[in-house]
Amino acid sequence: MIDKNSPIPVYYQLKNDLIKKIAKGVWKPGECISSERELCEIYEVSRMTIRQAIGELVQEGILLRKKGKGTFVCEQKVNQKDMMSFTEMINQSGRKLDTKVIEFEVIDTPDDMQDIFILDKLYKITRKRIVDGESIALETVYIPVDYCGSINKEMLSGSLYKILEGFGYTITHSNSSIIAVNVNDEIRGLLECEKDTPILKTINKTFTSSDKLLFLEEAYYKSDKFTLQVNISRKEGELL
C-alpha cells in the first residue's frame, strides 16, 4: 500500500490511503479509526509518519482527536473556499445536490434596498439546498428584472451563475459579510434543524468584471455542515 521508493512522501501516501478508506466506508462518520500502533503495523511505517498524516487530516476537518478515546471520522461538511456557485462547489465534491425553490416572484424594490438597486422591479428567489439528502442552506437572491430578461422557475434547479452567464455576464468577485445568528422557527423548519443547531448568515454582493452589482444574496447555512474559508492577502506595497 505504501511505496517507500516513490518520490511522493510516505506520510502523504498514507494520508491519501486513509482518505480512500473513509470514502469507501471502512470508517464511517463518528467511528474511531485504527490506533496509531495498529496503523504502524498495517502500513509498516513509523509512529511519527502516522502522526504527521493524521495531523493533516485533523487540520483539514476530516478527523477529530479525542483525548483518551482515539481519533474519529468527522461528519462531512460542505467546504467553500473559492469564488464559485454552490452548485459548482457540490458537483466538484462528487456529492448529490437537490434544489427546492421555496419562493419565486417579481417584487417592488424594498425601501432598504433602494440605495443598492435603483431599478423598480426585482426577482426574489428563495431556494433550499439539499446535499446528500440533508438540508444545508437556505438562499434568497435579489436580481433586477431588467438585468436578465425572462427567468422561469424550471431554470432555478441548477446554477444561478450559469443562468446569468447565459445572459452575457462574467461574474468575477463578491463582497461578503458573515455573522452567527439566531433564526426564527420558519427558517429552522426549512433547514430541518434543531433549536440549538448553530446557523451562519452571509450577505453577499456579487459583481461582474465591469464592477456592476449583479445580485444580492442573503443565505443561512448550518455551520455544523458548512465551512467557509476566507483567504486574506496583503497587496504589494502596503505598509503594516
Side-chain angles (χ1 to χ4, degrees):
M1 290 180 288
I2 298 296
D3 181 1
K4 295 183 180 179
N5 295 317
S6 170
I8 300 173
V10 171
Y11 88 90
Y12 194 79
Q13 294 181 57
L14 171 60
K15 174 185 169 183
N16 285 337
D17 198 65
L18 294 176
I19 290 173
K20 288 178 183 177
K21 281 185 167 59
I22 292 169
K24 290 179 180 178
V26 175
W27 301 300
K28 295 179 174 58
E31 290 184 351
C32 184
I33 70 170
S34 302
S35 69
E36 290 183 359
R37 179 182 59 78
E38 291 170 331
L39 292 174
C40 286
E41 293 175 356
I42 293 169
Y43 289 99
E44 298 181 348
V45 297
S46 69
R47 181 160 290 193
M48 182 178 296
T49 299
I50 298 293
R51 287 178 177 172
Q52 186 174 4
I54 289 177
E56 288 203 1
L57 293 175
V58 169
Q59 289 179 358
E60 293 171 12
I62 296 172
L63 295 177
L64 174 67
R65 284 194 179 104
K66 294 184 180 181
K67 190 173 182 179
K69 295 183 177 180
T71 303
F72 294 78
V73 179
C74 295
E75 293 287 342
Q76 190 174 11
K77 291 187 176 185
V78 175
N79 187 11
Q80 181 171 357
K81 60 181 179 180
D82 297 311
M83 179 70 188
M84 65 176 65
S85 72
F86 195 90
T87 302
E88 293 170 328
M89 179 174 59
I90 300 303
N91 287 343
Q92 284 192 12
S93 71
R95 303 172 72 181
K96 183 178 184 296
L97 173 65
D98 293 306
T99 298
K100 182 177 181 181
V101 179
I102 305 297
E103 184 178 14
F104 175 61
E105 61 179 334
V106 175
I107 64 170
D108 293 326
T109 301
D111 291 341
D112 60 351
M113 294 186 187
Q114 292 288 340
D115 59 337
I116 301 174
F117 298 114
I118 61 174
L119 300 176
D120 292 335
K121 299 291 184 179
L122 303 176
Y123 284 117
K124 181 182 179 182
I125 303 164
T126 300
R127 304 187 297 174
K128 181 162 70 169
R129 313 290 254 166
I130 304 163
V131 179
D132 292 340
E134 181 170 0
S135 298
I136 299 293
L138 185 67
E139 306 168 340
T140 299
V141 176
Y142 300 90
I143 310 171
V145 171
D146 288 354
Y147 283 11
C148 49
S150 178
I151 294 178
N152 60 58
K153 190 173 182 179
E154 287 68 34
M155 297 168 67
L156 300 174
S157 61
S159 168
L160 188 60
Y161 280 30
K162 293 295 184 184
I163 294 173
L164 295 170
E165 287 169 357
F167 286 109
Y169 297 106
T170 301
I171 296 171
T172 58
H173 61 287
S174 66
N175 293 334
S176 303
S177 63
I178 309 164
I179 55 174
V181 294
N182 290 316
V183 296
N184 58 35
D185 290 340
E186 179 184 5
I187 293 175
R188 287 200 181 276
L190 289 169
L191 285 173
E192 302 173 23
C193 61
E194 301 296 331
K195 193 169 185 179
D196 59 349
T197 301
I199 302 295
L200 288 178
K201 179 180 180 180
T202 66
I203 300 175
N204 307 299
K205 294 179 181 178
T206 299
F207 298 85
T208 67
S209 55
S210 61
D211 281 335
K212 180 177 184 176
L213 175 59
L214 192 53
F215 65 84
L216 173 71
E217 178 191 69
E218 295 180 350
Y220 297 92
Y221 298 94
K222 290 179 179 176
S223 64
D224 61 334
K225 300 295 182 182
F226 179 85
T227 299
L228 179 62
Q229 294 184 8
V230 180
N231 299 316
I232 300 174
S233 61
R234 188 167 67 90
K235 293 181 180 179
E236 186 177 352
E238 288 183 339
L239 298 178
L240 293 176

